[in-house]
Amino acid sequence: MRRRHNAVPGFALTFGATMLYLSLVVLIPLAAMLLRAASTGPHELFSAIANRRALAAFGLSFGGALLAAAIAAVGGSIAAWVLVRYDFPGRKLFDALVDLPFAMPTAVSGIALATLLAPQGWVGRALLPLGWKLAYTRGGVIVAMVLVSLPFIIRTLQPALADLPLDVEEAAATLGSGRLRTVATIVAPQLLPALGSGFALAFARAVGEYGSVIFIAGNLPGKTEIVPLLIVVELEQYDYAAATALGAAMLAASFAVLLCIHLLPRWMSRRRLAQAGG
Amino acid sequence: MSIELRAITKSFGEVTVVRGIDLRIATGELCVLLGPSGSGKSTLLRVIAGLEEPDSGSVLLHGEDVTRGDPRRRGIGFVFQHYALFRHLTVAENVEFPLRVQKVPGPQRRARREELLELVGLVGYGGRRPGQLSGGQQQRVALARALAGSPRVLLLDEPFGALDARIRVELRHAIRRIHRELGITTVFVTHDQEEAFALADRLAVLADGRLLEVGAPSDLYLHPRQERVATFLGDANVLVGEASERGVRLGGVELPLGVTAEATPGGRVRVVFRPEDVQLGAASTGAAQLGLATVEEATFAGSFERLRLRLPTPPGVRGVAPPAPFGSAFVWLDAIRPQPDARRLPLQSGDEVQVAVRRVHVLSSAALRLLVLGSDDPPGPAAALAAALAERTPTTVSRAGATPPPDGWDLALFDLLPEGAPPRHLPGPEVDHLLFVTPGAALPRRILVCIAVGEPGKEDVSLAERLAWRLAAHVTVLTVLPGPPQEPPPHVRRFLDAAARALGRRGVEVTTRVRHGAPRREILSEVTEGRHDLLVTGAPVPPRGQPFGLHGLVERILAAPPCPVLVVRAMHPTSVPAADVEEPARSGR
């Protein structure tokens, strides 16, 4: 360990404080839940998760969150590009609006979405002739998830984009590269790490989202029900064992997905380096 | 001809950065574009590369018009100041990038990559990332990458701007060597005069978006035509003297030299001589004696010694560069001499020494030049005044319509008769000063100079001095202080005294005045009370990057001018007078 003059006192003290904080806020509550889940029998645990309703909820929660994060990644990238690379009237205002979903209670955005997307709402009415129905469907769930996860993508991409010098793209052009090639081989790879962490944050937020989803989902068991809602349902029936079992399973699955998202780019670049090493 | 630029003009918003540049660069030539920052040299390079599209004019590469063409299809290599490497790719991948674009097969691509890494001296670095290399190494990678696609033209935009002095010198040699080996047509942009000399086959000096002069480095250094080129390329002593039958007269000394055709005997000529052409000590043959000078400062500079000398102003001579303190009775001369000479005749601050000059070069005309804008049919007051001025002073008068004025104009005349208001079309930075002429204007007999205390004020006084001396006019120097009447602060007093001395030197009759109150009202009252017929005032200094405009006090005076108004613009940044007001006690020495 390097010993350099540092304004914050010693490693031991700060590391201790960090661990204490992490333990109190994150590890101990999680451990309590896992302990609780472990104290239930394996059979009970299995039956709480491996039923049709729970599996459908898991499918919607994780599948929906991944899809929502992907949609947000595309839309958010475009929005971040516009905000960083162009100057237009109202840019500052637009930029401030991005944070609004952070500040709003999610129930408010849920109600707003429900009124908009309902068959009588502005958007719902417009979509009806097309045969599209978003309110009280899985589509509606994904719309709500995209809404709450979008700011994460924009806010993580903005600094990365601002750091991307314009002359790099000009250099690619003078070397004969077309727009498409420049974006694919020069711009995108340099944004990938930022996009990866933005995607992870967006996914995490979408998976954990409760407030805004339940208003728009309709919550039909086995169809538009998400895991967090199912946990609440179990709790309301005083089935603590099933609730903790679902919670533990969700924790494990989320952790696995996030780990994959973080490791994927590193693995990809290592493989590319190994290829180029000739 | 590899590159041919025809009348290239480029503006960004309000600001015109490149003004009608014509330049031809031969195949295999290494041409350096040299100029201060903001001179438009980088923009010109980007126009050649196709990264900027010119507003007008055309770009020809190898005889083919590519003005609107895509940078991809120009066959150029471009090196950026901040390397612009692909940071997520390895050095090898960076260099191979243009080859992949050209779909060069793998084995050939790798061979070419190794060849280029060898050329720039980075063999074995292929597997590293740009972030693991030093700045100099990164720029070498950028150079290899730019050359990889076998371009026919190599363009470098201040490539060593972000590097240490030692590495710059090393890379300079690398560029020269590579240029020699490949024989590729190269355009190199820099603001560093030393770098330009070290690299250029041919040098193009730019300022304010214009091409001042093009030529071999030694030619431009020894025989510049314009003062700005002379002072930008190395140190220069510039004096204004008089043309004589046989050469140039500087005070009592006649230098027997060939004078350019434009100076008639008796006319004013501007001469330049380099510090190394100044000879110190005992008289010798072949050098013209300038007189006895005092050593102001002698500094050690390695293999030579650098001196600044204070020479009492010879009669009829005006010092231009290096700029002497305002109101002083001497000119400054810069000299350098090799260390052996310094040991033979040691000099230190305060010593007196005989100064001679071995070689002087005559610059193009030093006369006040007037540019009349607007039509001359029927002749308006501006044209009439210009003609009268031309008769009384060695002034060149030229007429221009809506076309941009020719290079190097000192003064532009505006006729206030037709429009009754300042014209919208103001000349660009190539015109130094503007003279607004009111109906019924005659040759000025009583000139009022309004000054703010400070640098621009010195320019006002200096121009008024030149005019008043020619016209034998009386000059009043006025400063307006805000608030109620009171004793002016000492620095204002000192400045006015210095102004009076500066004018008095030439035998101009001077009065100084201090008034208190609102500037415009006080100035107008002074014009009426003193029956002045020319008002000289400074132009507002535009913010950096902004065009020259007339606002504030000047604009309000021009809205209803009481008499002709001469608006003096601060000099170009390359020749800003740095010296302070001379203390009266010291000037008496």
Side-chain angles (χ1 to χ4, degrees), chain A residues 167-179 181-182 185-187 189-190 269 272-273 276 278, chain B residues 46 51 71-72 76 78 80 82 84-90 93 97-98 100-101 103 113 129 145-146:
Chain A
D167 59 4
V168 170
E169 285 153 61
E170 290 179 345
T174 63
L175 296 169
S177 168
R179 264 165 207 269
R181 181 190 286 267
T182 304
T185 64
I186 305 299
V187 178
Q190 303 206 60
S269 74
R272 215 183 40 74
L273 260 190
Chain B
R46 291 170 61 83
L51 296 172
R72 288 185 279 156
I76 50 144
F78 199 102
F80 294 80
H82 298 288
L85 292 177
F86 307 136
R87 311 197 67 79
H88 64 295
L89 300 180
T90 61
E93 287 169 324
F97 184 84
R100 277 182 197 274
V101 174
K103 301 201 166 50
R113 175 237 293 166
R129 296 286 179 113
R145 184 183 67 178

Side-chain angles (χ1 to χ4, degrees), chain A residues 79-105:
Chain A
W81 185 267
V82 168
L83 285 174
V84 170
R85 280 292 169 89
Y86 299 97
D87 204 1
F88 50 91
R91 190 176 67 96
K92 289 246 162 74
L93 184 77
F94 192 67
D95 197 46
L97 281 177
V98 168
D99 285 333
L100 219 54
F102 280 146
M104 244 179 351

